[in-house]
């Protein structure tokens, strides 16, 4: 099939957006931009895009001359019992949304491109990766660090934009970039929410109508708990009350509600005495929701 700028005509016709599926195609395009003096922004995603993802793309466009968005459902961050096989995938729609947002290139590698046969290198992370999501999903942050490091090396952007919804992940990525001396600016963008305050997430698609109504109470519980902590109430009592409030609201279980220092996710001795975040993970039906907000 005839190729245009390293992308098949079929790619261009189906998405109206150039699509790179190999590292070579990606680097050819980015190198061309560099020769023209363009700065490059990057937005890594696992697809099933929503307004939250598109806000990251628009922020990258505001900050850089050209923007790459990736869609790759990363197997190394899923445990065997998690939803890797059923995670929503909609590449054609994702490409349309990215084109509409002004993105310049979709990078959609296959697993064999990201993890070639025989690949054995792993990244071990500590610090902000410990506890919270790291306790309930111990495989996650090693997988996240590995795929983000590979993507940043493949794209070699000037900046990469991440959402603050995954605050712990953002802290892990920032720590990894500093520790590995990667020449990229990591930009965090506030969580995108629906009209009821629910953090936008690809996994919200799993929620039934009744579960969605319950899920929309999560941010309210966190806001109330955060206000109490900011007023000087003991952190442990606030966390416990917030977990009880989520169960009362209809959540099936609560993995954690935690108030931590915003910069490194370390704990407070008794009360909040520095910039803080309140973070939570709770389950309803087959959906696990996470959220956080500043205190």
């Amino acid at each position: 099939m005839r190729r245009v700028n390293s992308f098949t005509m079929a790619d261009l016709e189906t998405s109206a957006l150039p699509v790179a599926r190999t590292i070579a195609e990606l680097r050819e395009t980015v190198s061309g931009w560099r020769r023209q003096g363009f700065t490059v922004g990057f937005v890594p995603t696992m697809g099933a895009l929503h307004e939250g993802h598109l806000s990251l793309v628009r922020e990258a466009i505001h900050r850089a001359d050209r923007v790459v968005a990736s869609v790759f459902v990363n197997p190394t961050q899923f445990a065997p019992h998690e939803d890797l096989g059923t995670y929503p995938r909609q590449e054609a729609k994702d490409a349309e949304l990215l084109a509409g947002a002004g993105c310049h290139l979709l990078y959609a590698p296959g697993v064999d491109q990201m993890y070639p046969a025989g690949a054995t290198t792993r990244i071990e992370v500590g610090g902000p990766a410990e506890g919270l999501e790291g306790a309930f999903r111990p495989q996650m942050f090693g997988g996240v660090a590995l795929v983000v490091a590979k993507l940043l090396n493949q794209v070699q952007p000037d900046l990469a934009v991440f959402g603050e919804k995954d605050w712990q992940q953002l802290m892990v990525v920032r720590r990894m970039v500093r520790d590995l001396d990667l020449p990229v600016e990591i930009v965090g963008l506030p969580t995108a929410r629906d009209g009821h305050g629910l953090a936008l997430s690809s996994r919200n698609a799993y929620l039934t109508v009744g579960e969605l109504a319950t899920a929309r109470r999560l941010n309210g519980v966190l806001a109330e708990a955060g206000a109490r902590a900011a007023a000087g109430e003991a952190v442990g009592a606030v966390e416990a009350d917030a977990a009880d409030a989520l169960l009362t609201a209809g959540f099936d279980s609560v993995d954690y509600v935690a108030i931590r220092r915003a910069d490194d996710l370390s704990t407070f001795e008794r009360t909040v005495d520095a910039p803080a975040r309140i973070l939570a993970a709770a389950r309803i039906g087959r959906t696990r929701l996470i959220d956080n907000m500043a205190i």
Side-chain angles (χ1 to χ4, degrees):
M1 180 175 291
R2 183 165 62 92
R3 303 191 72 81
V4 177
N5 295 332
S6 299
F7 314 118
T8 68
M9 286 297 294
D11 288 335
L12 295 172
E13 290 166 359
T14 57
S15 70
L17 175 69
V19 180
R21 299 195 182 276
T22 69
I23 298 170
E25 291 173 348
L26 168 70
R27 286 181 170 168
E28 180 180 346
T29 298
V30 173
S31 294
W33 293 341
R34 293 293 190 193
R35 287 193 294 271
Q36 297 177 73
F38 294 145
T39 55
V40 178
F42 176 48
V43 179
T45 83
M46 292 208 301
L49 303 184
H50 51 65
E51 176 56 30
H53 297 110
L54 301 181
S55 69
L56 304 182
V57 172
R58 289 190 289 267
E59 181 67 18
I61 291 170
H62 175 71
R63 292 170 176 263
D65 300 315
R66 294 291 184 269
V67 172
V68 179
S70 64
V71 170
F72 178 68
V73 181
N74 177 38
T76 65
Q77 69 190 68
F78 288 79
H81 67 280
E82 293 181 333
D83 59 342
L84 174 61
T86 59
Y87 193 87
R89 291 166 170 84
Q90 51 181 43
E91 184 182 300
K93 181 178 178 181
D94 289 343
E96 292 177 5
L97 291 171
L98 289 170
C103 185
H104 301 92
L105 177 68
L106 168 59
Y107 179 41
V111 173
D112 58 344
Q113 189 71 200
M114 293 300 296
Y115 301 112
T120 58
T121 298
R122 298 291 181 264
I123 295 179
E124 181 179 347
V125 292
E130 297 171 352
L132 305 176
E133 290 299 288
F136 284 88
R137 302 183 65 196
Q139 81 295 330
M140 178 184 174
F141 288 126
V144 167
L146 178 60
V147 77
V148 171
K150 288 175 69 70
L151 288 168
L152 292 177
N153 184 49
Q154 291 165 5
V155 180
Q156 298 188 354
D158 297 284
L159 61 94
V161 186
F162 292 78
E164 292 184 355
K165 172 182 172 289
D166 299 290
W167 184 265
Q168 188 176 13
Q169 175 177 281
L170 176 59
M171 296 299 100
V172 169
V173 169
R174 283 180 169 159
R175 182 74 263 173
M176 178 198 69
V177 165
R178 287 196 296 269
D179 290 351
L180 298 183
D181 304 313
L182 301 181
V184 57
E185 177 188 2
I186 302 300
V187 178
L189 200 65
T191 303
R193 299 180 181 275
D194 71 9
H196 300 269
L198 176 64
L200 299 185
S201 170
S202 299
R203 288 187 172 96
N204 288 356
Y206 298 158
L207 296 167
T208 67
V209 173
E211 290 169 348
L212 180 61
T214 298
R216 284 172 168 160
R217 301 184 67 179
L218 174 58
N219 69 95
V221 170
L222 294 186
E224 181 180 350
R228 289 176 56 192
E233 293 192 38
V235 165
V238 173
E239 292 171 339
D241 289 348
D244 287 342
L246 290 175
L247 294 173
T248 300
F251 283 86
D252 296 319
S253 62
V254 177
D255 287 348
Y256 60 82
V257 175
I259 297 171
R260 298 293 178 87
R261 295 181 188 275
D263 58 351
D264 62 4
L265 296 180
S266 60
T267 59
F268 291 98
E269 185 173 344
R270 177 169 171 76
T271 59
V272 169
D273 57 8
R277 307 289 294 198
I278 181 167
L279 308 97
R283 300 173 186 270
I284 179 170
R286 69 189 187 105
T287 309
R288 185 176 184 271
L289 299 177
I290 64 171
D291 200 354
N292 76 90
M293 56 186 61
I295 295 178

